[in-house]
Every structure is written in structure tokens, then in C-alpha cells.
Amino acid sequence: MQRTIRIKTHDVGERLVGNVKITPEAEQVLRQLCRQSGLSIRYLVSEIVCQGADLVEFVDADHSEEGGGV
């Protein structure tokens, strides 16, 4: 099992906002975690992002490997 989160990179500029839009699939997963844990979605997302930051591996979208990761 792969132990890193792979994210393809592209230039988006820097913006800081208090909220983000997520995919419907991610929302379903979050709602399931919320039901299972009784914790708020806000808390779950914050913890996942902070704890998972060290598991992220950035790959250039133009030179990424086929079939590797997310």
C-alpha cells in the first residue's frame, strides 16, 4: 500500500480563504467520517490536512507517471 499522498502540481497563485470547494466524492467521505466519529467536518478536515501534510508528494502534472496515485 502506498504511504504518500501524490498531488499533481500546477500554478494557481496564492490566495488565502476561510473555505474551499471539494469534490462530491470527498464530501461523501467526509460525511461518512463525521457520522462514524461524531466530530465536525471542519475539525476532521483540519486534522487530516495538518496530520497528512508530511504524506504529500508533489509531482509535475506535465511529467507525471501513468497510473500512479491520485
Side-chain angles (χ1 to χ4, degrees):
M1 179 178 192
Q2 190 169 336
R3 302 292 300 179
T4 60
I5 299 169
R6 299 186 76 210
I7 299 174
K8 294 180 182 178
T9 60
H10 60 280
D11 186 24
V12 293
E14 185 173 330
R15 295 180 303 195
L16 298 177
V17 294
N19 55 46
V20 296
K21 291 184 179 183
I22 59 174
T23 64
E25 180 183 15
E27 183 178 1
Q28 289 176 350
V29 171
L30 283 170
R31 290 191 183 282
Q32 180 180 355
L33 291 171
C34 184
R35 284 191 299 274
Q36 291 173 347
S37 67
L39 299 170
S40 72
I41 289 177
R42 176 184 178 182
Y43 181 77
L44 287 169
V45 170
S46 296
E47 288 297 310
I48 290 167
V49 169
C50 291
Q51 291 184 37
D54 291 337
L55 301 176
V56 175
E57 175 185 335
F58 292 103
V59 294
D60 187 343
D62 295 331
H63 301 94
S64 64
E65 304 162 10
E66 290 295 321
V70 176

